[in-house]
Amino acid sequence: METVSENRCFDGTQGVYRHASRTCDCDMTFGLFLPPQAKEGDVPVLWYLSGLTCTHENAMVKAGAQAVAAQVGMAVVFPDTSPRGDGVADDAAYDLGQGAGFYVNATQAPWSSHFRMWDYIGAELPDLLGARFPLDMKRQAITGHSMGGHGALTLAMGHRDRFASVSAFAPIAHPSASDWGRKQLGAYLGSDEAGWTPHDATLQMRAVGLDVPVLVDQGSEDQFLDLLKPEALAEAMAARRQHGVFRMQKGYDHSYFFVSTFMADHVVFHAEALGLS
């Protein structure tokens, strides 16, 4: 593993690291914030999955998670959103290919050679982190924004014993019924929509739900509301009697100004689930 950078941050360390991924068959980069408590022993982990066009850097710089994470003693992992590199398939559109992995394992050419983000986040990266850093991998939580909110919800429902809590900011909530989803799931997974179901948070909420608490924040002035379909997820949560909260935040849009406004709430929510407060 290559250390790209390490900076002191709220008495902890904000690092950026690069490694050769066997799952994605290319080099992958991620950010990791270690709070000051990590100097004394292993600390719990919060995963932050980013949205379309983002890299590991967007949330690391803009979301404002580190200050509260340092107070409660929680590490924060900022993975990239897709495989990247000259040999990795891409598309001219911003919402397909590099920067738009959708947290699935692609089965269709040309994507299947590298686009295996489900297994990368689900297995390879946590194994690597646990072996290299002072992290308590028995205590994990997950959050994300937009495409990353979709990934956080579906990964939590697909790995039911791994996360103590899950939250999302403006998630792509019902991708099989949206242009932000049908295009990408069809390209990556093929035309059989039965194979899309594990990657649709609304369908999974209706079918299996979660045994852990959920927090979802959505801005009422989000310019992408018709693509995100938050009402479908809210209805599914209510129908399942899901332990959780769906909040429509008046006046907020889809930007990192929205995410950073409510990030402290989400970190504290996960800290409570992880027994840190």
Side-chain angles (χ1 to χ4, degrees), residues 204-223:
Q204 287 298 89
M205 182 61 69
R206 291 172 183 167
V208 298
L210 281 157
D211 298 325
V212 299
V214 178
L215 172 62
V216 178
D217 273 318
Q218 172 64 60
S220 68
E221 301 305 311
D222 193 314
Q223 59 270 46

Side-chain angles (χ1 to χ4, degrees), residues 48-52 81 95 99-105 117-118 121 142-159 163 166-178 180-182 184-185 188-189 195-205 210 214-218 227-229 233 254:
Y48 183 100
L49 306 185
S50 291
L52 287 167
T81 55
D95 58 354
F102 262 75
Y103 303 101
V104 304
N105 286 342
M117 292 299 292
W118 180 271
I121 303 296
I142 191 167
T143 188
H145 173 228
S146 193
M147 180 185 72
H150 139 81
L153 289 162
T154 56
L155 279 157
M157 285 186 270
H159 297 79
F163 301 106
V166 56
S167 72
F169 300 87
I172 300 175
H174 196 8
S176 64
S178 168
W180 268 3
R182 295 191 63 81
Q184 295 84 358
L185 296 179
Y188 294 143
L189 302 177
W196 303 0
T197 300
H199 304 290
D200 186 306
T202 293
L203 297 182
Q204 287 298 89
M205 182 61 69
L210 281 157
V214 178
L215 172 62
V216 178
D217 273 318
Q218 172 64 60
L227 294 166
L228 301 171
K229 300 193 177 298
L233 178 61
H254 199 70

